[in-house]
Amino acid sequence: MKAWKAIPMFALLALAGAVSAETLLVDRVKEENKSTMPTRGQTMAQVEARYGAPSDKLDPRGGQKRQWPTINRWVYPAFTVYFEKSRVIDVVANKADEQEIGPKPPVK
């Protein structure tokens, strides 16, 4: 009878070990220096001068047809920069690897 009670305990311990091994993107970004990423309001020229050419420039979204501002997205190895027209509006850290839990990569 006591052996059956031990089985659920082992299962819980196994799950607890798996959960604690996960790396959350949010936790990693909190530890990193925020000055390593562009800041809101910088121009495209300032971002490119400081961080170099992006590894990928994704197709712009929005624009005049939809009466929304054009959003450009530049992908760097560590982060993706979102521009409204030519100014930074947001920067999102990219996953370090597939095991890290965080947002999905931008849609091309």
Side-chain angles (χ1 to χ4, degrees):
M1 189 81 162
K2 289 183 181 181
W4 287 104
K5 291 181 182 178
I7 292 173
M9 184 59 75
F10 285 118
L12 287 174
L13 289 173
L15 286 175
V19 171
S20 65
E22 294 175 344
T23 303
L24 297 177
L25 177 64
V26 173
D27 294 338
R28 180 177 56 86
V29 171
K30 284 180 185 176
E31 294 173 8
E32 290 180 356
N33 187 353
K34 292 273 186 181
S35 66
T36 61
M37 297 193 320
T39 57
R40 187 179 181 103
Q42 285 184 313
T43 65
M44 288 178 166
Q46 290 171 323
V47 171
E48 195 159 10
R50 170 113 192 248
Y51 301 97
S55 57
D56 196 7
K57 288 184 180 182
L58 303 177
D59 292 335
R61 301 287 186 196
Q64 293 177 348
K65 291 181 182 178
R66 297 184 183 165
Q67 299 177 352
W68 294 324
T70 300
I71 304 297
N72 290 289
R73 301 161 298 157
W74 290 3
V75 180
Y76 287 87
F79 52 83
T80 301
V81 185
Y82 292 81
F83 297 93
E84 183 176 307
K85 298 178 183 172
S86 66
R87 297 266 178 187
V88 174
I89 58 169
D90 202 3
V91 180
V92 177
N94 298 336
K95 290 183 184 183
D97 58 44
E98 289 301 317
Q99 300 302 323
E100 190 168 59
I101 298 173
K104 294 179 181 177
V107 177
K108 292 186 176 194

